[in-house]
Amino acid sequence: MATEQRDGVVDGVRLDVQRLHETWMELLFPRQRGAQHSVLGKWKPSTTGDKAKYRIWGALGVPVVLVLYPLMLLGVAVRFYSRRFDSLATRIGLGGTVLVMTVIWGALTAIVRTYGGFGQVGFMAVLVASVTAVVSSALAFIFWAKGGRATTVLLAYPFGVTALLLPPVVAAFYSDTVGAVVFTQSRQIAIVLLNQVFQPIGLKDLLESQFELQGFAFVLMWFGIAVPLGWLLGLVVTLANLTRPQEDEDENKSGGAEASDD
């Protein structure tokens, strides 16, 4: 049994890598991805020049595949959890999504108000964070429901990440206790981003001269993190769909279930 599972994993990895490389090859050459199942078959170069270009492009694709494969696996994991949200959101709709988020955050706000011991300031912090989370979740649902891969990647995922990242930052403006943690960690993250991301591309000095990390700048900073992070998650899910279509996984699961029934 263990050997069969190991062989299955190896076969799955081999198929993923093959699809990624075939997709890379298809950027320049026709009939590369899955062409072995077509009547015409896989296109192969016939002239010496085409053969040289084919080999060079194939060799260039090897490091690209090595970089993309871990991202594709991340996309499979993100897709797994996002499908759970998709299934729930489809059943309850926009009103249900807003209601669920309102109940969850409203309950937290009520607990803080009644038993938290944080006073009026703590209550306002959680209340504002709750409103931020509910609004961001609603926007994420609206853009997801609108349909289309571009809209989902460009808008739905960023607002979904915003619903997770922004509430603590907003709450920090109303609570010194929360602010001591959030603002301190935000400054540390900003230093890392300036030195590791923006300095190599020559933008560190410009950002330091134009922006001061105070007040509302913290909100802009985290929104600026949430948006590209949402794009990244949307792109890795797209990569997962391209490399390992959901239909294949569903077929494998149903095939496995049938085999176990037998």
Side-chain angles (χ1 to χ4, degrees):
M1 179 64 69
T3 302
E4 292 179 357
Q5 292 179 341
R6 185 166 55 250
D7 292 341
V9 171
V10 172
D11 290 340
V13 172
R14 185 183 298 112
L15 180 59
D16 291 338
V17 171
Q18 177 184 338
R19 283 176 171 171
L20 277 174
H21 195 264
E22 287 177 346
T23 302
W24 167 261
M25 296 300 294
E26 205 162 64
L27 293 176
L28 287 187
F29 303 98
R31 299 200 323 268
Q32 298 297 303
R33 180 182 166 92
Q36 60 270 22
H37 303 300
S38 66
V39 176
L40 296 176
K42 189 173 185 177
W43 180 88
K44 295 184 180 300
S46 56
T47 66
T48 302
D50 285 343
K51 289 179 180 179
K53 287 188 291 185
Y54 193 83
R55 292 193 183 98
I56 293 173
W57 188 248
L60 291 175
V62 173
V64 174
V65 170
L66 292 177
V67 172
L68 291 181
Y69 189 66
L71 295 177
M72 188 278 295
L73 294 179
L74 173 62
V76 171
V78 174
R79 183 178 66 184
F80 174 82
Y81 291 104
S82 66
R83 286 193 77 198
R84 300 301 183 270
F85 168 78
D86 291 349
S87 178
L88 175 62
T90 300
R91 289 197 297 269
I92 65 178
L94 174 61
T97 301
V98 173
L99 179 61
V100 168
M101 294 298 295
T102 301
V103 169
I104 293 174
W105 281 93
L108 177 61
T109 304
I111 291 172
V112 170
R113 177 65 170 174
T114 307
Y115 306 105
F118 295 107
Q120 185 67 21
V121 173
F123 167 70
M124 285 300 299
V126 177
L127 176 62
V128 174
S130 302
V131 173
T132 304
V134 171
V135 172
S136 297
S137 300
L139 289 173
F141 178 91
I142 290 171
F143 290 121
W144 166 80
K146 185 177 179 60
R149 173 52 51 184
T151 301
T152 302
V153 172
L154 294 177
L155 296 172
Y157 275 99
F159 276 110
V161 176
T162 298
L164 297 176
L165 297 185
L166 215 55
V169 181
V170 176
F173 289 108
Y174 296 87
S175 171
D176 293 337
T177 303
V178 178
V181 176
V182 171
F183 293 150
T184 300
Q185 294 301 318
S186 296
R187 290 189 179 95
Q188 295 298 321
I189 293 173
I191 292 173
V192 172
L193 292 175
L194 286 172
N195 293 332
Q196 303 298 326
V197 177
F198 295 110
Q199 186 172 16
I201 60 178
L203 292 179
K204 177 183 177 181
D205 294 337
L206 176 63
L207 292 174
E208 287 182 329
S209 63
Q210 296 295 323
F211 300 98
E212 184 178 2
L213 195 56
Q214 296 289 339
F216 190 68
F218 285 103
V219 176
L220 295 178
M221 168 188 163
W222 280 103
F223 187 73
I225 292 175
V227 170
L229 181 58
W231 289 341
L232 174 62
L233 294 178
L235 289 174
V236 296
V237 171
T238 301
L239 181 63
N241 290 337
L242 179 66
T243 306
R244 190 184 294 179
Q246 188 64 49
E247 295 79 7
D248 288 2
E249 290 193 351
D250 293 340
E251 289 178 2
N252 290 336
K253 290 179 181 178
S254 62
E258 291 174 0
S260 62
D261 292 340
D262 294 340

